[in-house]
Amino acid sequence: MLSLDKFPLGCKGVVDSLELSDEAFRRVAAFGLIPGSRFSLSRRAPFGGPLVLEVGCTRFLLRRSLARFIQVKVAE
Amino acid sequence: MKRFALIGLPNTGKSTLFNRLTGMSQRVGNWPGLTVDLTSARVLLGGSMVELVDLPGVNDLTGYTDDEAVVRDVLMSTAFDAVVLVLNAAQLDRQLPLAMQILASGLPAVVVLNMADEARLMGIKLDVDALQHKLGVSVALVSAKRMEGWPRLMDMLNRQASGTEPAVHAQLDKVPETQEAIALAHACLQGVWSLPPVLPVGQTEKVDAWLMHPWLGLPLFFGFMALLFNLTYQIGTPLQDLVGSGLDWFKEAALGHWLAPLPAIVQSLLLDGIWQGVSTVLTFAPILFVFFILMAMVEDSGYLARAAYLTDAFMARLGLDGRGFVMQLMGFGCNVPAILGTRVMRERKQRLLTMLIIPFSLCSARLQVVVFFSGILFRPQQAPWVLLLLYLLSFAVAIFTAWVFKHRYRGNEAFLLELPPYRLPGLRHMLIRATGEVRAFLELASSFILMGVVLVWLVSHIPAGHDKTLADMLGSVMAPVLDPIGIRHELAVALLVGFVAKEILLGGLAVIYGVPEAGLGAALLHHLDWASAMSFLIFTLIYVPCLSTVAAIRRESKSRAFTALSVVWSVLLAWVIAFVFYQGVHALR
Ligand SMILES: Nc1nc2c(ncn2[C@@H]2O[C@H](COP(=O)(O)OP(=O)(O)O)[C@@H](O)[C@H]2O)c(=O)[nH]1
Ligand SMILES: [Mg+2]
């Protein structure tokens, strides 16, 4: 298990847990990132910029400062 | 009259659907107590007049983003006959929870599954009738952009509008929390909606390989911005000139004659005061129109989200989000549309912070003043470097302002943004939107700017003894603040004129020194020493860009206090920097 900001680029994973406030959880969940959901990490902006994640048909930006609090597993 | 609300997540095509249903009849307007404008229009559905309201996009009815609060406020304070839920058919996994919340609120609802074309391309399996059965409300699968699925949609809306039930308020206490809504939605989607095991690789990924490239992305971004910027002015400036000369012609050919019988002072008030104000406002219209068309293209195509991706690392440090950067850049053309464009940022604090820094972008009107001054104060080889320095100064001042205010207008760290597939923007949609924006701005700005122009006219025409006017007095009264920065007293009026619009500043200076504009350079050199002229220039660059910008800030922030803060801050900063410069030069001499 590792935090999302350390997740390898181009891999698929499964969300394990989100250590977020209610409000942040709502925002993240609105993009489909909830415990058990599958995602892939397709890009990482240079200079510590945001990540690009894909959940289902949805692609979105997520800042690394938030990704730190999301625990994930690499999916086989 | 009945009232319907369009509700859905951001980017699901609510506004596109709204435009399809209502056309040009829409109005952008104030809602009592709200900090954002809502668009509404009347349409005939099922034999009755229905007022359709386009609400801001929300993810979750129980959330606390600004837009979520707005939608909750509207749903609680206003009774609706129906909610038209707009969902992206390709993303029901994350969008249906909102539908669950709306249904639980007791509002009568119909569901529009939009983007049928994209869902089909993705290979999504969807059983509309089964979903309708499970949800217990009517569902229509459409593509708002291509007008697919229209008969069923119109039939559904007409039926909803011909009902006889009274309108109801939402019962927000019945709305399930996020997790529960998600669980309900997933249960509902079982066997009704599914993604293919492997999603097809589309054009978007191929384009993004370039546009979001780790090191090509940024140069391409700046290239696009330069192009956008050039287009705005290549198309906008000739139109602006055309409107300007049209208005001048009207003033000379018609207005002057009609007003000739009136006393000179009244003529002057009407021509130099009110007509001047009207022309200032109207000449903005073409630039605004072109800007909104181009911005709509950047936003609707999906590129704005890529720009945010590329610039977010830098902007996040300033407490801003990446989209603010695009507006900041556009501000170098004209601050007014850039301020209005901050509306893409949905968080109020972020929007305010961005609005606070945009006025420091050295716009084209101020550029004229800079070019003129550096032409007379410096040798031709030096002038370009001075210009560059002043541009850097404007960036530095903007960054400093962001740094000072970033804690006060702290945005939420939980910043997520959809990266939609690239989409071809609809021409009709863009035209309708740009027309609406320009009209709404003119309505507000005209009264505001008129007031300002008339005020300046009064100050420079009301006599104050010894054949002097209030304006002359102003110079003496302001002496304690003007002297330390080396600005001569007679220039107080010029600063007042510059407050209205920088376009008329040079003309104002010519009037002050009683020379034609062609002779202004020589006159300035005669009356001002170098340090004092530079100090005037620096002050001019940093203080309030123009009344139209102030009007735009007032309109977008809907707060007098914030507008005042923006004005006071920029004047203060201008004074401090001019002070440091002027006193510094003196100390060195
Ligand atoms: N492919 C496709 N794109 C659409 C459709 N409806 C809207 N769009 C596009 O989706 C984007 C967002 O639309 P908009 O109406 O602004 O969404 P809103 O944020 O919900 O108001 C725009 O680029 C539209 O052109 C559709 O049915 N199919
Ligand atoms: Mg919209």
Side-chain angles (χ1 to χ4, degrees), chain B residues 9-17 54 86 114-118 142-146 299-302 423-426 429 433:
Chain B
L9 276 79
N11 253 324
T12 49
K14 293 178 296 301
S15 302
T16 309
L17 179 68
D54 188 12
V86 184
N114 192 25
M115 315 245 177
D117 50 327
E118 282 182 6
V142 307
S143 164
K145 194 151 94 183
R146 305 173 170 207
E299 195 193 343
D300 287 355
S301 65
R423 294 173 175 139
L424 211 58
H429 179 63
R433 190 167 138 182

XYZ file of all heavy atoms in Angstrom, chain B residues 9-17 54 86 114-118 142-146 299-302 423-426 429 433, ligand 1:
261
model
N -23.898 18.188 -12.863
C -22.500 18.438 -12.536
C -21.944 19.476 -13.521
O -22.556 19.722 -14.555
C -21.695 17.139 -12.616
C -21.750 16.280 -11.341
C -23.039 15.502 -11.261
C -20.565 15.342 -11.262
N -20.792 20.065 -13.198
C -20.191 20.984 -14.161
C -19.885 20.247 -15.467
O -19.590 19.052 -15.434
C -18.875 21.412 -13.481
C -19.065 21.118 -12.041
C -20.001 19.959 -11.964
N -19.981 20.964 -16.602
C -19.547 20.388 -17.870
C -20.405 19.281 -18.433
O -19.921 18.467 -19.208
C -18.143 19.805 -17.709
C -17.144 20.675 -18.397
O -17.438 21.231 -19.452
N -15.991 20.813 -17.797
N -21.661 19.189 -18.021
C -22.489 18.110 -18.547
C -23.312 18.572 -19.736
O -24.034 17.783 -20.332
C -23.438 17.573 -17.464
O -24.092 18.683 -16.854
C -22.683 16.796 -16.428
N -23.224 19.877 -20.053
C -23.979 20.385 -21.198
C -25.271 21.084 -20.804
O -26.165 21.240 -21.638
N -25.372 21.533 -19.568
C -26.570 22.267 -19.136
C -26.798 23.512 -19.978
O -27.898 23.747 -20.467
C -26.444 22.695 -17.660
C -26.439 21.563 -16.680
C -26.264 22.067 -15.263
C -24.911 22.741 -15.025
N -23.762 21.865 -15.284
N -25.731 24.300 -20.135
C -25.901 25.556 -20.870
C -26.179 25.306 -22.343
O -26.939 26.033 -22.968
C -24.660 26.434 -20.706
O -24.432 26.677 -19.346
N -25.564 24.268 -22.880
C -25.826 23.926 -24.280
C -27.296 23.552 -24.457
O -27.971 24.023 -25.378
C -24.930 22.751 -24.712
O -23.585 23.050 -24.360
C -25.019 22.504 -26.195
N -27.799 22.737 -23.556
C -29.204 22.338 -23.614
C -30.092 23.568 -23.433
O -31.078 23.763 -24.162
C -29.489 21.308 -22.514
C -30.924 20.812 -22.443
C -31.249 19.968 -23.667
C -31.160 19.990 -21.180
N -30.855 28.280 -15.540
C -29.627 27.495 -15.691
C -28.805 27.670 -14.411
O -28.234 28.730 -14.195
C -28.859 28.026 -16.915
C -27.659 27.164 -17.274
O -27.541 26.044 -16.742
O -26.829 27.620 -18.093
N -29.376 17.177 -15.690
C -28.578 16.881 -16.881
C -27.357 16.083 -16.447
O -26.562 16.548 -15.627
C -28.136 18.173 -17.592
C -27.395 17.843 -18.875
C -29.341 19.049 -17.891
N -27.155 13.318 -21.268
C -26.583 14.056 -22.403
C -25.320 13.357 -22.920
O -24.834 12.413 -22.307
C -26.278 15.490 -21.957
C -25.969 16.399 -23.130
O -26.402 16.157 -24.257
N -25.211 17.446 -22.868
N -24.790 13.862 -24.006
C -23.553 13.365 -24.605
C -23.726 11.932 -25.099
O -22.818 11.108 -24.976
C -22.381 13.410 -23.621
C -22.306 14.693 -22.862
S -20.820 15.569 -23.283
C -21.031 17.051 -22.331
N -24.901 11.652 -25.647
C -25.164 10.322 -26.189
C -24.092 9.949 -27.208
O -23.661 8.797 -27.288
C -26.541 10.297 -26.831
N -23.637 10.953 -27.977
C -22.621 10.679 -29.005
C -21.318 10.172 -28.383
O -20.724 9.199 -28.859
C -22.370 11.933 -29.849
C -22.102 13.178 -29.002
O -22.684 13.280 -27.910
O -21.300 14.031 -29.431
N -20.893 10.805 -27.301
C -19.637 10.374 -26.678
C -19.788 9.006 -26.010
O -18.880 8.170 -26.072
C -19.162 11.409 -25.647
C -18.511 12.592 -26.315
C -17.979 13.621 -25.340
O -17.999 13.375 -24.108
O -17.554 14.689 -25.810
N -29.996 12.043 -24.924
C -29.872 13.020 -26.000
C -28.419 13.403 -26.244
O -27.535 13.074 -25.456
C -30.628 14.335 -25.676
C -32.063 14.069 -25.298
C -29.922 15.116 -24.577
N -28.208 14.088 -27.345
C -26.969 14.836 -27.520
C -27.392 16.274 -27.764
O -27.958 16.590 -28.808
C -26.184 14.287 -28.703
O -25.205 15.239 -29.067
N -27.153 17.114 -26.772
C -27.604 18.511 -26.879
C -26.894 19.205 -28.011
O -27.441 20.067 -28.677
C -27.365 19.244 -25.567
N -25.642 18.811 -28.238
C -24.881 19.480 -29.268
C -25.417 19.132 -30.647
O -25.560 19.993 -31.498
C -23.417 19.099 -29.162
C -22.558 20.007 -29.983
C -21.187 20.149 -29.419
C -20.266 19.146 -30.069
N -18.938 19.220 -29.494
N -25.733 17.838 -30.849
C -26.187 17.440 -32.179
C -27.699 17.356 -32.284
O -28.224 16.893 -33.291
C -25.617 16.072 -32.503
C -24.108 16.018 -32.387
C -23.727 14.600 -32.571
N -22.309 14.415 -32.725
C -21.793 13.395 -33.391
N -22.596 12.520 -33.977
N -20.503 13.244 -33.468
N -12.378 27.464 -23.555
C -12.991 26.724 -22.463
C -13.753 25.504 -22.976
O -13.564 24.391 -22.494
C -13.927 27.645 -21.687
C -14.311 27.070 -20.341
C -15.466 27.818 -19.701
O -15.762 28.948 -20.128
O -16.060 27.250 -18.772
N -14.619 25.713 -23.968
C -15.467 24.615 -24.435
C -14.670 23.534 -25.146
O -15.065 22.373 -25.158
C -16.561 25.142 -25.378
C -17.632 25.895 -24.596
O -17.543 25.894 -23.359
O -18.531 26.479 -25.222
N -13.549 23.901 -25.766
C -12.766 22.873 -26.445
C -12.100 21.959 -25.421
O -11.698 20.854 -25.738
C -11.683 23.523 -27.298
O -10.768 24.197 -26.463
N -11.984 22.430 -24.176
C -11.333 21.625 -23.151
C -9.896 22.050 -22.909
O -9.217 21.517 -22.038
N -13.468 18.848 -27.475
C -14.767 18.945 -28.131
C -14.759 20.151 -29.042
O -14.180 21.176 -28.712
C -15.873 19.132 -27.102
C -16.042 17.937 -26.203
C -17.028 18.225 -25.091
N -17.250 17.018 -24.323
C -17.347 16.996 -22.998
N -17.255 18.106 -22.311
N -17.555 15.861 -22.375
N -15.433 20.013 -30.173
C -15.555 21.139 -31.083
C -16.616 22.078 -30.525
O -17.751 21.670 -30.333
C -15.961 20.618 -32.464
C -15.453 21.413 -33.641
C -13.935 21.486 -33.624
C -15.955 20.792 -34.920
N -16.268 23.335 -30.226
C -17.275 24.237 -29.656
C -18.378 24.536 -30.666
O -18.109 24.632 -31.859
C -16.485 25.516 -29.343
C -15.052 25.166 -29.504
C -14.974 23.989 -30.400
N -19.593 24.656 -30.196
C -20.711 24.971 -31.085
C -20.763 26.473 -31.366
O -20.693 27.278 -30.447
N -23.839 28.357 -29.875
C -23.687 28.445 -28.422
C -22.748 29.603 -28.066
O -23.034 30.415 -27.188
C -23.148 27.105 -27.927
C -22.908 27.034 -26.454
N -23.923 27.161 -25.547
C -21.781 26.851 -25.739
C -23.428 27.056 -24.320
N -22.125 26.872 -24.412
N -23.743 33.119 -26.158
C -23.086 33.408 -24.896
C -22.385 34.762 -24.930
O -22.547 35.584 -24.025
C -22.075 32.294 -24.625
C -21.511 32.358 -23.268
C -20.793 31.077 -22.958
N -19.561 31.396 -22.278
C -18.688 30.492 -21.900
N -18.898 29.227 -22.152
N -17.606 30.834 -21.273
N -19.937 15.662 -27.626
C -20.862 16.414 -27.020
N -20.478 17.539 -26.421
C -21.414 18.285 -25.817
C -22.779 17.912 -25.778
N -23.455 18.847 -25.073
C -22.548 19.769 -24.689
N -21.326 19.442 -25.138
C -20.072 20.172 -24.921
O -19.727 20.044 -23.550
C -19.059 21.200 -23.085
C -19.726 21.742 -21.839
O -21.012 22.208 -22.167
P -21.772 23.305 -21.307
O -23.119 23.460 -21.895
O -20.939 24.521 -21.164
O -21.857 22.560 -19.911
P -22.323 23.087 -18.482
O -21.083 23.334 -17.718
O -23.080 21.961 -17.909
O -23.158 24.304 -18.693
C -19.073 22.164 -24.250
O -17.832 22.041 -24.899
C -20.168 21.654 -25.142
O -19.940 21.981 -26.492
C -23.156 16.701 -26.443
O -24.301 16.304 -26.460
N -22.156 15.993 -27.048
